[in-house]
Amino acid sequence: MKVTPLVIPLAINFLLLGLWFFVCAYSGFFFYREPLLPWIPAILIPLLLSLILYFCKGKQKRTYISQREILLTTGISWLSAGIIGGLPYWILLHCKFSIGLFESISGLTTTGATALLNLECLPKSLLLWRSVSQWLGGLGFVVFFVTFLGTHGNFQKRLYLQESTSVEESVSLFHMRKNIAYSFFIYVGLTILCALFLSQCNISLFDALCHALTTVSTGGFSTHSAGIHHFNSLTIERLLIIFMLLGSINFIFLIQVFTRQGPKLVKNSEFRTYIALVLTATLVCARVLYPKIYPSLPEAVRHALFQVVSIGTTTGFHSVNFSTWPNITVLILLMLMFIGGCTGSTAGGFKVFRLVALCKILLAHLEKMFRSNIVRILKIDGVLWNERKQLDLLYFFALNLLVMLIAVVFLQLLMPTIDFLTNVSAVVASLSNIGPGLTSLIGPSATFVTFPPAAKILLSALMLLGRLEIYAILVLLTPKFWKRFD
Amino acid sequence: MQFVIIGAGEVGLCLCKHLLQNNHEVVIVEKNAQLAKLLGENVVARIVTGDATLFSTLQQINLPQTDAVLAMTQDDAVNILACTLAKTLGAQKTVCRIHRDLHQNTQKFNYQAHFSIDYLIDTQHACAFEIAKYIRDPHRVAIEQFSRGKIEIQTLELKEKSPWTGKTILQLSLDNTVRIGFIKRDQQHFIPTKDTLLQAHDLLTLAGDNVHLSQLRTQACIRQNIFTYITLFSASKITVSLLQLLHNPYYKVKVIEEDIALCYQLAEAYPNISVIHGSATQLSLLQEEQTHASDYFVACSSNDEKNIIACLQAQKAGSKKTLLWVNKEDYDAVCDTLKDTLHFNHLILTKSCIIKDLESILFPQEISVLGTLGNDELAPELIEIHIPSGTAIEGLTVDNIPWPEHTLLLVLKHRFHTKVPGAKDCLIGGDCVVAVVQKKHHDAIIRLLTQKTSL
């Protein structure tokens, strides 16, 4: 295995991060008269690294890049971006390594969990970087820029397939680039629209922009410690619900629907299931909350819908402190956390499409129990799922559960006093890239600041695992991956 | 009459024997020299040895004097090329045998027009058609066969709450591509007019393309809960053709197949059916698969012995009706006897299916009655009429022709194109129509469409 293919994506990543640091720093300086000087090292380090890597790239003669190299590139790119992304926190806030890393990875993986207190007191430039990091993470910037700037066709395609969950392997490089370009335009368009609408809701342009960046990316970072509750506005909540949902639907599918090239919205099984899940969860939660927690039904529906959408889309915004809600609602939210949003979107989690496929596989298997001779072909939205694909999904599901189980055990070892629900919800929230947990310790009104550094690093690793669908990071830990000949 | 048969395979030979029995002159073109030699010794027909796709081979036959060239090889490409070449060399009529894949493609691409072939026939489809006719309403299948699958016939029963109930046909504003052929009310069939008031429990028979008919079904809010359960043995080519003919949500089909690879192929191509891996000759499997609930059990594998055993087992398992398909010509007589002895409900012989299909092409009747729905004078009759050249109605549009009362044109076939005719469609010589008329107007419509005097 050679590391040459790694160089260009890493150089692009570092360059991009350096430039964004500059944009954030300059915005803070220009609009809020914040000092530029503390940002200088944060800007220079990635730029210098990018320059060094560019000159070290050598002559790239090989056109074939192996699966190992792709996995290595994906894993290292995200890991290095997570570390470099933490520079502003370490330099500007002089915080611990674990806090900076946690915040940076939470941003880039669109998780939205925070270990920072009193957000209102932080420099605006840093708050902007927090939001921008989520927006970049939602874009899947590694893929985006490598696809457009890279040279190796098969490399770009494999990288794209590595990060996408709904793409067929037969996709051509041309279509892949077209899909990414369309997704990018939708992403930017939705962000601009969201910011424009939010700015009309009596909030500052800065708040509108930051929340638009973190809403469409389904990240969930807020510029206020109280989150969306700070605004206490029904209009803002409604707007956010719409944009969170849009951000969590497959972008390519949205294009096909709007250009009438693909099936109708209701014909897509993933979309149908997703909406059904959100509505059912909202109704159940509202019924539980009314009149026990909220005396009026509209209020119960309002908060239930916002929280269900926020958790279901893996955004993690909070309009109320849902950690005080009855246990059944907390369990529903935990389930939604695990499922996550649609494939091909910015949302994390197990993905609704996989859930649909898993249910169909299990149903077919159940039928086999009493009808052993039946031959069934699994097709979802016209796409054939052969046995290998079905097995892959089952392995992925099992691996997800295994990683969760191991993480729960490790977290319990690191924090022996932590209760079970806090432990599980912290692990699920990190692995599904949600953000806040479901109990008062890590819930909407709290942060992960009380967690020991090792626990923060563990949760950061889970965030990366979740963002890269487990495999890309996990394979790096297997000894055989590094062997030259085995 | 003189016929040229290309390919002396099972189909070609069966056809040859039949034509010779009926005192026709036959020339066989066979590529395989050994087989050709063998045929020369056993068959009273002229044998031409050579590749029918080559000009030099066909040149040996006086094609302009031939009534029809029948390309019956296993290879679709050879058949198409031979027919095109024969047509160019002066053959009056060309009949090309095609197989399932190409047959499916004829819906999307007009091979007939492109390659100047007069008729395309799918022998497997012809056999499947005979089975489907038994399972489905024979009149419906007859029209669908006439239109070669381009027009579908569906029956809808109006419910009391249907938005169509209490409306006249005119008020329904039906699309031009759809017709209500006839209505069954109180056990009586009649042909509706634009002023016919639809009532609850009316059974409408509609003709049109599948898409429009599905839309109509939705418009009329009609949901039919009567299903027909069919079990098919083996995933043979006939089964696949049969599945296409039974492509309707009201037919619940189950296929039992021994080959697992074929099972997967079929399950992929037809996700709405149940495919069972196993042999239908095993009683336990049939019982496990609830064959007692089957309205029809059709044994249509390529192995006749297995078909017979499977039918017997299906009877034992409780299937309501059993249909046996026989491949080998040799078994025809035996199976005919067995049918009554073993109480099989229907016997489908490959030979007779193929010959029936080809005879309708080679010796077309100007007028044929596809079916009659009742005994009285007012009962609707489905009639197929070939319009000869030089008739009085030639060149007139449908709305300008003085049709007898209660006449409805269901299908119009113009050269290679089949459609539900509209008011502005023109009828010309060589066209073929299927109309629904009252029995008493039978002669009137034939006169109208075939007489060469002025109107």
Side-chain angles (χ1 to χ4, degrees):
Chain A
M1 183 167 54
K2 294 194 174 182
V3 289
T4 335
L6 264 173
V7 176
I8 290 288
L10 280 181
I12 294 169
N13 282 354
F14 293 152
L15 177 74
L16 186 77
L17 288 170
L19 290 176
W20 274 108
F21 287 164
F22 175 74
V23 170
C24 293
Y26 190 75
S27 302
F29 168 73
F30 189 79
F31 293 107
Y32 300 99
R33 295 285 150 210
E34 286 175 356
L36 257 179
L37 202 64
W39 275 93
I40 300 294
I43 296 167
L44 285 181
I45 291 170
L47 289 180
L48 277 173
L49 280 171
S50 173
L51 214 63
I52 293 165
L53 284 169
Y54 181 76
F55 285 111
C56 290
K57 78 176 193 310
K59 285 183 182 175
Q60 295 196 341
K61 281 181 185 172
R62 287 194 319 144
T63 50
Y64 180 78
I65 294 164
S66 72
Q67 191 65 37
R68 287 179 189 217
E69 285 154 355
I70 304 287
L71 286 164
L72 184 70
T73 308
T74 316
I76 298 290
S77 297
W78 279 92
L79 200 62
S80 61
I83 295 167
I84 296 293
L87 283 173
Y89 302 105
W90 296 316
I91 295 168
L92 269 76
L93 303 178
H94 306 290
C95 63
K96 286 180 184 168
F97 173 79
S98 61
I99 291 179
L101 186 75
F102 183 86
E103 205 67 15
S104 169
I105 291 182
S106 169
L108 285 168
T109 57
T110 72
T111 305
T114 185
L116 298 176
L117 294 166
N118 300 323
L119 295 176
E120 287 85 348
C121 303
L122 298 181
K124 298 283 186 194
S125 52
L126 193 66
L127 286 176
L128 183 63
W129 163 241
R130 278 177 93 230
S131 305
V132 165
S133 68
Q134 290 207 320
W135 192 79
L136 286 173
L139 187 65
F141 70 107
V142 180
V143 172
F144 179 74
F145 285 97
V146 171
T147 309
F148 280 92
L149 303 174
T151 49
H152 296 294
N154 87 314
F155 176 64
Q156 294 157 8
K157 185 174 169 178
R158 281 174 173 225
L159 198 61
Y160 180 64
L161 292 172
Q162 189 63 49
E163 289 216 13
S164 315
T165 47
S166 65
V167 187
E168 281 187 67
E169 284 171 21
S170 58
V171 69
S172 71
L173 187 66
F174 171 74
H175 276 100
M176 193 179 78
R177 283 187 171 165
K178 201 172 83 177
N179 282 349
I180 293 181
Y182 279 157
S183 302
F184 176 70
F185 289 127
I186 284 202
Y187 193 57
V188 174
L190 284 176
T191 311
I192 294 170
L193 265 181
C194 185
L196 280 175
F197 281 127
L198 284 175
S199 63
Q200 303 301 311
C201 300
N202 292 329
I203 62 170
S204 70
L205 194 63
F206 178 77
D207 279 344
L209 178 69
C210 286
H211 282 91
L213 290 170
T214 57
T215 302
V216 178
S217 63
T218 65
F221 271 157
S222 178
T223 48
H224 300 277
S225 297
I228 304 305
H229 181 61
H230 171 85
F231 304 115
N232 197 19
S233 160
L234 184 63
T235 321
I236 290 177
E237 284 171 27
R238 282 178 182 165
L239 269 174
L240 293 179
I241 286 172
I242 294 168
F243 282 96
M244 281 190 285
L245 280 173
L246 285 172
S248 65
I249 296 169
N250 191 327
F251 285 176
I252 306 296
F253 173 62
L254 276 182
I255 298 162
Q256 286 174 345
V257 168
F258 290 128
T259 55
R260 294 181 180 179
Q261 287 172 348
K264 286 180 183 171
L265 209 58
V266 285
K267 283 193 174 173
N268 184 281
S269 57
E270 185 180 32
F271 179 77
R272 270 197 325 226
T273 315
Y274 185 48
I275 296 299
L277 271 174
V278 167
L279 290 178
T280 314
T282 304
L283 288 175
V284 175
C285 286
R287 181 66 195 86
V288 174
L289 296 174
Y290 169 77
K292 225 173 177 179
I293 307 287
Y294 301 105
S296 85
L297 187 64
E299 201 185 358
V301 172
R302 170 189 166 182
H303 293 305
L305 180 65
F306 186 84
Q307 275 332 130
V308 163
V309 171
S310 171
I311 298 293
T313 57
T314 72
T315 309
F317 278 141
H318 55 277
S319 60
V320 284
N321 185 3
F322 52 81
S323 61
T324 57
W325 284 3
N327 283 345
I328 180 70
T329 53
V330 173
L331 276 174
I332 290 170
L333 293 179
L334 187 71
M335 202 179 72
L336 290 174
M337 269 185 178
F338 180 76
I339 296 167
C342 298
T343 48
S345 71
T346 58
F350 184 65
K351 303 278 164 64
V352 180
F353 186 72
R354 289 203 181 106
L355 181 78
V356 174
L358 188 70
C359 290
K360 288 195 173 184
I361 292 170
L362 294 178
L363 276 175
H365 187 68
L366 279 179
E367 192 184 8
K368 278 248 174 196
M369 291 289 110
F370 59 87
R371 224 174 160 191
S372 56
N373 291 81
I374 189 85
V375 178
R376 289 257 183 249
I377 292 284
L378 183 67
K379 265 188 178 181
I380 302 170
D381 295 331
V383 178
L384 180 74
W385 273 61
N386 58 22
E387 215 162 299
R388 193 191 152 179
K389 219 169 165 183
Q390 292 180 30
L391 274 178
D392 280 349
L393 177 65
L394 292 173
Y395 293 148
F396 180 73
F397 182 68
L399 204 60
N400 243 300
L401 293 182
L402 192 70
V403 167
M404 248 175 227
L405 190 72
I406 294 169
V408 166
V409 172
F410 267 94
L411 197 60
Q412 198 71 49
L413 284 173
L414 293 168
M415 299 177 72
T417 54
I418 196 173
D419 67 284
F420 182 69
L421 188 61
T422 306
N423 185 337
V424 172
S425 70
V427 168
V428 178
S430 301
L431 199 62
S432 298
N433 302 132
I434 310 273
L438 296 172
T439 58
S440 53
L441 186 68
I442 51 168
S445 58
T447 72
F448 284 80
V449 73
T450 51
F451 275 47
K456 286 198 196 88
I457 290 172
L458 173 72
L459 294 179
S460 305
L462 287 177
M463 290 174 204
L464 271 179
L465 277 171
R467 181 66 181 83
L468 294 179
E469 313 259 304
I470 297 184
Y471 290 114
I473 297 289
L474 221 54
V475 290
L476 302 185
L477 305 176
T478 55
K480 285 200 175 180
F481 182 85
W482 299 100
K483 285 192 178 165
R484 184 181 283 269
F485 187 84
D486 188 23
Chain B
M1 290 173 88
Q2 188 183 333
F3 298 99
V4 174
I5 298 172
I6 297 165
E10 228 169 281
V11 176
L13 214 55
C14 161
L15 197 62
C16 170
K17 283 179 190 168
H18 178 75
L19 291 172
L20 288 172
Q21 271 171 13
N22 289 288
N23 301 319
H24 296 293
E25 199 183 321
V26 179
V27 179
I28 294 182
V29 182
E30 174 55 48
K31 198 178 175 181
N32 186 332
Q34 261 186 328
L35 183 63
K37 197 182 165 194
L38 201 70
L39 285 172
E41 291 162 5
N42 295 305
V43 182
V44 194
R46 185 188 156 202
I47 312 291
V48 174
T49 311
D51 187 348
T53 59
L54 298 176
F55 171 75
S56 54
T57 311
L58 292 187
Q59 206 185 17
Q60 298 172 41
I61 309 158
N62 187 6
L63 285 172
Q65 294 299 313
T66 316
D67 290 287
V69 172
L70 311 151
M72 297 288 135
T73 73
Q74 286 276 1
D75 192 333
D76 290 350
V78 168
N79 292 343
I80 288 175
L81 193 54
C83 279
T84 309
L85 192 59
K87 193 78 185 171
T88 316
L89 292 173
Q92 287 174 29
K93 200 184 269 183
T94 51
V95 183
C96 175
R97 181 190 175 193
I98 54 167
H99 292 82
R100 189 174 59 88
D101 290 343
L102 204 129
H103 187 214
Q104 281 177 332
N105 275 276
T106 53
Q107 307 281 334
K108 297 165 195 159
F109 180 75
N110 198 334
Y111 283 85
Q112 275 176 276
H114 193 80
F115 293 103
S116 305
I117 298 165
D118 295 308
Y119 297 97
L120 294 174
I121 65 152
D122 180 352
T123 50
Q124 308 284 353
H125 188 79
C127 297
F129 167 69
E130 281 303 311
I131 302 171
K133 222 161 74 169
Y134 189 83
I135 296 170
R136 297 178 59 180
D137 177 354
H139 306 128
R140 286 195 277 162
V141 184
I143 296 170
E144 285 177 18
Q145 175 70 0
F146 170 80
S147 67
R148 299 270 160 190
K150 283 173 187 157
I151 287 165
E152 198 171 299
I153 304 292
Q154 286 189 11
T155 311
L156 314 178
E157 192 189 342
L158 285 189
K159 303 285 174 201
E160 272 163 26
K161 286 179 184 170
S162 166
W164 281 12
T165 308
K167 281 187 180 170
T168 61
I169 303 239
L170 191 68
Q171 285 173 323
L172 300 181
S173 310
L174 290 179
D175 193 275
N176 246 349
T177 55
V178 176
R179 290 275 181 285
I180 297 180
F182 40 87
I183 299 174
K184 187 180 175 185
R185 186 182 291 165
D186 304 326
Q187 300 305 314
Q188 292 284 320
H189 285 90
F190 66 93
I191 305 162
T193 62
K194 63 181 171 40
D195 300 318
T196 303
L197 195 70
L198 298 175
Q199 296 177 7
H201 311 298
D202 276 356
L203 197 69
L204 316 183
T205 300
L206 293 114
D209 66 280
N210 193 9
V211 178
H212 281 98
L213 288 181
S214 302
Q215 284 170 357
L216 280 187
R217 196 174 273 278
T218 318
Q219 270 177 32
C221 300
I222 291 163
R223 279 186 197 165
Q224 199 172 317
N225 295 320
I226 306 155
F227 297 110
T228 305
Y229 298 95
I230 304 155
T231 305
L232 306 176
F233 169 46
S234 119
S236 62
K237 285 174 184 171
I238 292 204
T239 304
V240 177
S241 295
L242 194 55
L243 287 173
Q244 282 162 8
L245 288 166
L246 298 175
H247 181 66
N248 186 311
Y250 308 112
Y251 293 113
K252 298 283 176 199
V253 184
K254 193 181 280 181
V255 179
I256 301 173
E257 168 59 47
E258 291 169 303
D259 184 351
I260 187 73
L262 273 177
C263 284
Y264 278 108
Q265 274 178 28
L266 204 68
E268 192 185 335
Y270 298 92
N272 296 326
I273 64 164
S274 295
V275 182
I276 314 295
H277 176 227
S279 172
T281 53
Q282 282 177 6
L283 185 62
S284 58
L285 180 81
L286 293 178
Q287 283 167 338
E288 197 71 45
E289 286 305 325
Q290 298 173 310
T291 309
H292 64 270
S294 286
D295 294 305
Y296 297 93
F297 178 88
V298 187
C300 48
S301 81
S302 51
N303 187 320
D304 290 335
E305 293 80 3
K306 276 189 182 174
N307 283 351
I308 294 168
I309 299 293
C311 273
L312 289 170
Q313 296 285 46
Q315 274 183 352
K316 187 90 181 151
S319 172
K320 293 179 186 77
K321 284 180 182 169
T322 46
L323 280 73
L324 173 69
W325 181 54
V326 184
N327 300 272
K328 288 181 190 164
E329 203 185 327
D330 241 19
Y331 287 7
D332 283 4
V334 180
C335 289
D336 217 13
T337 319
L338 276 178
K339 182 196 160 194
D340 297 327
T341 318
L342 301 175
H343 307 294
F344 295 153
N345 296 86
H346 195 52
L347 188 71
I348 305 109
L349 307 173
T350 311
K351 183 189 160 188
S352 60
C353 292
I354 295 170
I355 286 168
K356 200 172 168 188
D357 199 35
L358 278 164
E359 272 190 334
S360 68
I361 291 169
L362 298 176
F363 315 107
Q365 291 177 336
E366 293 298 316
I367 297 128
S368 53
V369 177
L370 299 176
T372 311
L373 300 142
N375 297 319
D376 58 297
E377 281 291 292
L378 299 174
E381 189 177 75
L382 278 161
I383 187 162
E384 179 188 330
I385 305 167
H386 289 258
I387 303 168
S389 296
T391 55
I393 53 108
E394 190 162 17
L396 292 180
T397 53
V398 170
D399 58 345
N400 281 326
I401 296 171
W403 300 100
E405 262 189 346
H406 298 285
T407 299
L408 198 77
L409 276 190
L410 275 188
V411 191
L412 166 66
K413 195 197 274 180
H414 172 67
R415 277 179 67 77
F416 310 118
H417 186 58
T418 307
K419 62 189 278 198
V420 172
K424 294 297 167 198
D425 277 311
C426 199
L427 298 188
I428 56 168
D431 281 357
C432 187
V433 292
V434 171
V436 190
V437 286
Q438 284 179 341
K439 231 178 181 178
K440 64 176 181 180
H441 294 309
H442 174 93
D443 296 333
I445 192 161
I446 292 170
R447 239 190 343 265
L448 177 74
L449 294 177
T450 55
Q451 261 189 9
K452 299 198 176 181
T453 50
S454 65
L455 294 168

